[in-house]
Amino acid sequence: MNGNVWMFSDEIDDEDLEFMRHDYVTYNMACEYYGLGIKPVVRMAHEAGAVYKIGKKVLIRRSIFETYLREQRKA
């Protein structure tokens, strides 16, 4: 495991590990994982600057989005 994930290994389940394998996630994947609706995920992903378009497909850069979520939680 990279980063500080190993420090929380007792709290991580298979769903977390699968999600961490992705550098980019879809809006639907983010909604399911974070427990948020589509509109808040879209709005926050754009505010964070984590949205990447590849043709018609729109992806969220997970590392940027999670940094944004942590910052918002502190505020």
Side-chain angles (χ1 to χ4, degrees), residues 6-58:
W6 63 271
M7 293 181 354
F8 304 101
S9 61
D10 61 325
E11 300 171 18
I12 296 174
D13 60 8
D14 291 338
E15 180 184 1
D16 295 325
L17 290 174
E18 177 61 32
F19 193 73
M20 282 188 273
R21 287 188 183 112
H22 300 281
D23 290 331
Y24 296 89
V25 295
T26 64
Y27 286 139
N28 289 335
M29 289 171 70
C31 289
E32 288 178 26
Y33 185 76
Y34 297 112
L36 298 169
I38 189 75
K39 287 184 180 182
V41 167
V42 170
R43 178 181 51 80
M44 290 189 289
H46 281 275
E47 287 175 3
V51 176
Y52 291 87
K53 294 181 180 179
I54 302 171
K56 291 184 178 182
K57 190 168 193 158
V58 180

